[in-house]
Amino acid sequence: MSGHSKFANIKHKKEKNDSAKGKIFTVIGREIAVAVKEGGADPANNSRLRDVIAKAKANNMPNDTIERGIKKAAGDANSVNYENLTYEGYGPNGVAIIVDALTDNKNRTAANVRSAFTKGGGNVGTPGSVSFMFDKKGQIIIDKEECEMDADELMMLSLDAGAEDFAEEEDSYEVITAPEDFSAVREALEKEGIPMMEADVTMIPQTWVELTDDDAIKKMNRILDLLDDDDDVQATYHNWDE
């Protein structure tokens, strides 16, 4: 993982999200609804909700929008019928893709995801067909420019809180945790006022695939753009080395 900066990619994603804030806010709104339904509306007693709130803040979601989402979910707890679904498949040249969705209509989501893969020359596989090529980890990305703490101090703070790994890249720091330690590490950094660009449990590829053919790159971008435009899709992971 070290030496392979994800920050440029994250920045690209954030810029895209800035032009389509409605999408990311929809995604986070659904996560808030599910977190409230599962663990209640009080973040102090609901670590999943705390994590979603941190993600919302990292994506510049206004506090009143977050609070409104929590209140709405608490009032409509019984009407929240979102189901978590995961799709796995391949894009051009064997690029592995995992799609996490949160939906109230399985048939619609399955059709849309399948269509996105097909239009980009890929195909949806069976469960487990590509997930073995990824590690599920907590990942926290910190922009160096925004962080006043020096690298050694930040590394010690992260490791003492339970992080597995700490990497310093050219423009960012990356903190990796086991999924079950993610909340504790994120909260320890938050307590120290560390600004986080990205904080989420994610799927990190074990190996990367390069695409050199223009047509393959075009097709891969087509798949990712179609998935990105789908409100049911919460996250897309892949091992394309952009």
Side-chain angles (χ1 to χ4, degrees):
M1 193 64 208
S2 192
H4 194 105
S5 177
K6 285 281 139 301
F7 188 53
N9 196 12
I10 299 263
K11 261 169 88 166
H12 164 69
K13 271 193 201 156
K14 277 190 78 67
E15 278 155 19
K16 245 182 121 173
N17 287 338
D18 286 342
S19 66
K21 273 223 168 74
K23 158 70 178 171
I24 194 69
F25 288 1
T26 300
V27 163
I28 293 168
R30 287 188 184 191
E31 288 185 26
I32 287 172
V34 171
V36 168
K37 185 177 184 182
E38 287 181 2
D42 181 3
N45 300 317
N46 185 341
S47 68
R48 181 169 176 186
L49 182 57
R50 286 199 301 275
D51 288 342
V52 179
I53 290 169
K55 182 176 176 177
K57 287 180 176 173
N59 281 283
N60 302 315
M61 194 181 214
N63 283 336
D64 60 339
T65 307
I66 296 170
E67 281 162 25
R68 234 184 3 256
I70 293 170
K71 276 186 188 147
K72 184 174 185 296
D76 298 347
N78 293 327
S79 66
V80 177
N81 288 312
Y82 293 122
E83 194 177 342
N84 276 302
L85 299 171
T86 300
Y87 301 91
E88 301 180 29
Y90 289 97
N93 293 29
V95 172
I97 305 171
I98 298 175
V99 180
D100 279 346
L102 203 51
T103 181
D104 55 2
N105 184 329
K106 270 202 309 197
N107 293 338
R108 177 190 65 218
T109 309
N112 289 349
V113 170
R114 201 168 290 281
S115 169
F117 273 83
T118 304
K119 285 177 178 171
N123 60 286
V124 176
T126 54
S129 58
V130 304
S131 54
F132 69 93
M133 293 187 257
F134 293 76
D135 294 317
K136 190 174 188 179
K137 297 287 181 187
Q139 183 185 43
I140 297 165
I141 306 276
I142 298 149
D143 183 351
K144 273 189 180 176
E145 284 180 18
E146 301 284 320
C147 184
E148 291 172 11
M149 191 177 282
D150 76 43
D152 287 345
E153 246 187 297
L154 184 59
M155 179 174 75
M156 290 317 296
L157 173 64
S158 305
L159 296 176
D160 285 349
E164 283 183 356
D165 196 13
F166 178 91
E168 181 176 353
E169 308 290 357
E170 193 182 327
D171 43 16
S172 62
Y173 302 112
E174 181 186 50
V175 179
I176 298 292
T177 77
E180 61 273 16
D181 297 327
F182 168 72
S183 297
V185 175
R186 185 192 60 70
E187 285 172 12
L189 296 179
E190 194 177 60
K191 206 169 154 193
E192 294 297 324
I194 305 298
M196 290 166 250
M197 272 282 299
E198 193 89 346
D200 217 346
V201 174
T202 186
M203 300 294 280
I204 297 177
Q206 296 160 3
T207 56
W208 298 88
V209 174
E210 277 189 45
L211 296 179
T212 49
D213 177 60
D214 284 348
D215 187 50
I217 290 169
K218 204 170 161 184
K219 283 179 172 173
M220 186 65 197
N221 277 318
R222 176 106 166 106
I223 294 173
L224 296 179
D225 286 345
L226 286 167
L227 291 171
D228 198 41
D229 289 343
D230 188 338
D231 281 347
D232 294 339
V233 173
Q234 295 295 106
T236 306
Y237 312 105
H238 60 77
N239 66 349
W240 173 27
D241 188 349
E242 294 173 77

